[in-house]
Amino acid sequence: MSRPPRSLWQEITSLVELAWPVVISRVAIFSLVVVDTIMVGRYASDELAFLGIGLVPSSICILFIVGLLMGTMVKVSNHFGAGRYEECGASWWRSLPIAAVLGLLALAICACGETLLTLLGQPSEIAEAGGRVSMIMGLGMPLIAVQVTTGYFLEGINRVRPGMIIILIVNVANIYLNDILINGRMGFPAMGAEGSAWATNIVRLMMVVMIFAYVWFMHDQKKYAVRRRPLRNSDASREQRRIGYAAGVSMGIENTAFSFLSVFAGMIGTLSLATHTITMNFFSLCFMLGLGVGTATAVRVGNANGAKNWRQVYRLGWIGLGTQFALMLPLTLCMIFYSDYIVGFYSSDRELTALAAKVLSFAAYAILLDAGQSLVAQSFRARGDNWSAPVIHFMSFGCLMIPISYISSIYLERGVFGLYDGLFIGSFAALMLCLNRNIMLNRKLPLDEAGDVTVNV
């Protein structure tokens, strides 16, 4: 039986109910990096620079993995919205071999971290130390891939709280492991940035074991057929990979562009690299709130798309964007007006914190733009438009942000501030192009055929 459409407030409430565990999960996942950055920064400023540059290869790989496995969440959310619950489990099963292969490829790339950083123009000392961090981080890439695709399965069936609880548990473990391995406790040598990387891998192993165990033993595992390997279905596997190709290219382009900012900062000097590491670290932490709301929006849009409820597809994207803006505006103001207090958590080096506070305030103006374009791009994939986001991200971040950041920071000698000139312009262009594409897609929706069935959360 159909039900009347829900009010705007009911839709916002439903979105927030789904989004808050996802937001906490995303923030908690990135808080692992934040804690690493703070603890390494307090150990030594040089080690903070080595950690920042050493994370470049693994960060690029992770975003490719996250994108290439996006087909899991899209297909699971579509099947869930259509009531095909056993197909949800089948989509998860099909993703696991892909995840394993991607993880091993990422490991191979990270193992060449020193060579890659040298080719990217980093000084020998930075490339060598960063390369060691990259190698250690690479060992955790297969674990990340399995954890990501399993998390996507749970988000696709609107089961988001288990992932939140797991990541909160491992955050506590990460603090203790960092203290032991960074600073040298309990008989271990002080390893600085490398110790942080080892702690991260141990935490990733814990996450994989817990999330896999939850899926395997959850009370309704039979409903989703998670213990039954599906019959071979080449078409379904191909469709899932096809969605992932587009998302992987899109996220890979975006993250590669952001990683080039670290490369340019390394060319300027160790102080600039450490400053950029702090700035981008907190910027990314705030971005996780927007990303969480974007993921929840994409899940709901995917559910509505699977149920062929076109009015919901139309409404939920705009509701998600407005909700995201309202939630993120206070964070943006905090970045602008309280940057001194924020950077003080990262380091006690006065020269470093003085510069980082100014740069963080300057970077804050781009956060709403970047979060907004990410949400709209995620909704594209949920409604079956796979290649718009990669094209937009290539134009905005590849063709605008990278060259503008390089020219402004190096040739115009704006230093680390120049990096964020490009970030602002690239994010603004991406948001405008995404909104334009969203309007075009909405005009094609057969709203006169839309049903009144409300998507369940």
Side-chain angles (χ1 to χ4, degrees):
M1 181 182 296
S2 64
R3 291 179 292 175
R6 293 190 287 190
S7 67
L8 175 62
W9 179 249
Q10 288 175 316
E11 292 292 4
I12 294 174
T13 301
S14 295
L15 176 64
V16 172
E17 286 177 354
L18 178 61
W20 76 261
V22 180
V23 168
I24 291 176
S25 296
R26 294 294 188 271
V27 170
I29 288 172
F30 196 79
S31 69
L32 295 171
V33 181
V34 173
V35 169
D36 293 348
T37 304
I38 291 173
M39 296 184 76
V40 171
R42 291 193 169 274
Y43 175 77
S45 296
D46 286 349
E47 290 290 321
L48 176 58
F50 300 151
L51 177 66
I53 200 66
L55 290 176
V56 168
S58 61
S59 296
I60 293 174
C61 289
I62 288 171
L63 264 293
F64 270 110
I65 288 172
V66 168
L68 289 167
L69 294 172
M70 184 67 73
T72 306
M73 188 180 72
V74 172
K75 297 307 294 182
V76 169
S77 66
N78 289 164
H79 293 317
F80 182 82
R84 298 189 294 267
Y85 301 117
E86 291 190 357
E87 279 301 307
C88 295
S91 295
W92 174 61
W93 269 98
R94 294 184 189 107
S95 73
L96 291 176
I98 303 172
V101 171
L102 291 175
L104 292 174
L105 288 174
L107 168 56
I109 292 171
C110 291
C112 302
E114 182 178 352
T115 302
L116 293 173
L117 294 175
T118 300
L119 291 174
L120 290 171
Q122 299 304 297
S124 59
E125 179 188 8
I126 291 178
E128 181 181 356
R132 290 195 297 269
V133 173
S134 176
M135 175 63 200
I136 297 169
M137 296 295 289
L139 298 175
M141 290 296 105
L143 299 174
I144 278 191
V146 173
Q147 184 261 327
V148 164
T149 199
T150 307
Y152 276 161
F153 164 72
L154 290 174
E155 290 172 0
I157 63 172
N158 295 357
R159 193 76 54 83
V160 293
R161 296 189 185 185
M164 177 192 71
I165 294 170
I166 289 170
I167 192 62
L168 290 175
I169 291 172
V170 301
N171 262 272
V172 177
N174 185 55
I175 295 173
Y176 286 102
L177 289 168
N178 267 335
D179 185 46
I180 292 169
L181 299 177
I182 292 173
N183 300 308
R185 315 280 192 200
M186 300 176 64
F188 287 90
M191 292 185 280
E194 293 179 40
S196 172
W198 282 115
T200 298
N201 284 341
I202 297 172
V203 163
R204 285 172 178 167
L205 177 60
M206 293 172 60
M207 282 195 293
V208 168
V209 171
M210 286 190 282
I211 197 169
F212 206 93
Y214 174 82
V215 169
W216 198 255
F217 294 106
M218 63 186 186
H219 67 91
D220 52 355
Q221 49 85 13
K222 290 184 179 179
K223 175 181 177 180
Y224 296 103
V226 298
R227 296 189 187 179
R228 187 169 68 247
R229 188 167 185 172
L231 297 174
R232 183 179 179 83
N233 187 329
S234 299
D235 291 339
S237 297
R238 190 179 304 110
E239 171 66 11
Q240 200 162 318
R241 291 196 303 272
R242 187 177 64 82
I243 295 170
Y245 294 151
V249 170
S250 178
M251 291 187 176
I253 290 171
E254 185 175 1
N255 192 61
T256 300
F258 275 78
S259 295
F260 265 100
L261 300 186
S262 296
V263 173
F264 300 155
M267 292 177 179
I268 300 169
T270 303
L271 176 62
S272 293
L273 179 55
T275 298
H276 172 68
T277 300
I278 291 174
T279 303
M280 187 50 61
N281 188 267
F282 192 79
F283 183 97
S284 300
L285 178 64
C286 295
F287 176 80
M288 289 299 112
L289 170 60
L291 182 63
V293 177
T295 300
T297 301
V299 169
R300 286 180 56 75
V301 170
N303 292 160
N305 193 67
K308 301 186 184 304
N309 190 334
W310 310 124
R311 291 194 187 279
Q312 286 288 83
V313 171
Y314 178 89
R315 295 181 70 206
L316 290 173
W318 293 115
I319 290 172
L321 189 61
T323 302
Q324 182 198 66
F325 179 86
L327 292 174
M328 290 199 65
L329 183 59
L331 279 178
T332 303
L333 296 176
C334 285
M335 290 174 66
I336 295 172
F337 295 110
Y338 296 101
S339 58
D340 289 335
Y341 298 99
I342 293 169
V343 301
F345 287 101
Y346 285 89
S347 177
S348 56
D349 185 320
R350 291 186 178 181
E351 183 182 15
L352 174 59
T353 55
L355 179 59
K358 295 177 182 178
V359 175
L360 181 61
S361 295
F362 184 68
Y365 294 97
I367 188 71
L368 290 173
L369 303 174
D370 193 32
Q373 66 82 21
S374 176
L375 181 146
V376 181
Q378 287 187 77
S379 71
F380 290 164
R381 304 179 192 107
R383 61 198 292 180
D385 181 33
N386 298 318
W387 287 101
S388 293
V391 172
I392 290 172
H393 287 157
F394 175 75
M395 294 169 60
S396 303
F397 297 115
C399 298
L400 283 178
M401 188 176 90
I402 292 178
I404 290 173
S405 294
Y406 182 78
I407 292 170
S408 183
S409 61
I410 305 296
Y411 281 98
L412 299 182
E413 299 183 348
R414 279 181 49 76
V416 70
F417 289 95
L419 303 177
Y420 295 92
D421 293 339
L423 172 59
F424 181 87
I425 294 172
S427 298
F428 178 79
L431 178 59
M432 292 300 102
L433 291 171
C434 281
L435 289 176
N436 180 68
R437 177 58 179 167
N438 191 58
I439 292 170
M440 292 173 62
L441 290 174
N442 285 341
R443 288 174 178 171
K444 297 178 181 179
L445 288 174
L447 296 180
D448 55 328
E449 302 173 15
D452 293 328
V453 179
T454 302
V455 178
N456 292 318
V457 176

